[in-house]
Amino acid sequence: MFIFVCLCDLQGGVDDTLSLTAYITAALLELQLEKNDTMLNNALRCLKNVTFDETSLYVKALMAYVFTLTEDVELRQELLDKLEKETERLTSDFSSKESSSMIEIVAYILLAHVSKTDFAINESAASKLVHWLSKQRNALGGFASTQDTVVSLQALAQYAALIPREVRDVKVTVKGKEASPLEFHVHQNNKLVLHQASLLEVPGMYTVQATGSGCVYIQSTLYYNIPPPKTEVVFLLDVGTVTRECDGVRKQFDIHLSVSYTGDRVTSNMALVEVDMLSGFIPTKKSVKEVRLFPLAFPKAMKMYFPDVFQPEIPKPLRTAGV
């Protein structure tokens, strides 16, 4: 049995054969396959023949990570130089919230900097990427989507392991104009504990001061209520029979389904359409095979599975027969 589930949030920036090749190659290298593996060698040969200037930012970032894992110094450095120029404005602007794909791109660039201890680390460039990624985290510690959260946490963890910042004794004080100051004392015994407190005066102006020796991460989170969003229809479904009018007793007729996606993406996530048969009818086997449907255990209903639905309308005819 072959099962395919399409969830756009898990695809990240992978949207063509080249990005998919780079993504799978990185995964194979992380598995530490033998260097003479045929599949891996073919993938690397394909990536080395790519013209870097003609690829997207996402592919460049992935390939920089790939060539870091393969310890290809020349190609790695060429890609990192190109990426630094293209992301210089981005990492210097800490105020804007970026898209999920851009967060994933920066995470892959950071992985390219810190994934191999044999390479000299550009600590200045890596720290800028870490600062930028930290600004993109949400209130729960994740990022914009599942995919960028996985890659970003992997990159930040490798950075933390490679460039340790020993926490000896740090005192963080949060002061407001009228509220009593809040104090957090972080030391070796509680450095892995989440320290948090509620601000008593909101809105308000607060200052944060840290003293001592060590490195701590400070994040402020504002919670507020908003009206529930309006429900938007993102699928259009049109169902009809041929013929549309009954001209007597019919033992067989066609059901025409037209499904289309009208959302913001190019394609939808996985979609499931269930068709209940009219009383006394079942779908014909030939029709089921034609539209590649998967029958249920009972004969009076059908479920159609689509890996994704495109913007253009896709008609799906279904023929039924009487019983």
Side-chain angles (χ1 to χ4, degrees), residues 84-94 96 98 102:
E84 185 175 4
K85 293 178 182 178
E86 294 187 44
T87 59
E88 186 176 3
R89 177 205 59 79
L90 174 71
T91 54
S92 62
D93 181 8
F94 296 132
S96 62
E98 292 291 339
M102 186 56 70

Side-chain angles (χ1 to χ4, degrees), residues 52 64 67-68 70-82 119:
F52 296 153
F67 293 130
T68 298
T70 60
E71 299 183 357
D72 191 321
V73 180
E74 185 177 343
L75 290 177
R76 170 186 181 267
Q77 193 57 51
E78 181 181 350
L79 283 163
L80 286 179
D81 291 341
K82 292 179 180 295
F119 293 126

Side-chain angles (χ1 to χ4, degrees), residues 6-17:
C6 175
L7 180 60
C8 294
D9 288 341
L10 288 176
Q11 289 181 299
V14 177
D15 58 2
D16 57 21
T17 55

Side-chain angles (χ1 to χ4, degrees), residues 133-151:
L133 274 179
S134 299
K135 294 287 289 184
Q136 309 305 316
R137 295 180 72 174
N138 60 34
L140 300 177
F143 292 83
S145 71
T146 303
Q147 178 67 8
D148 65 19
T149 296
V150 171
V151 181

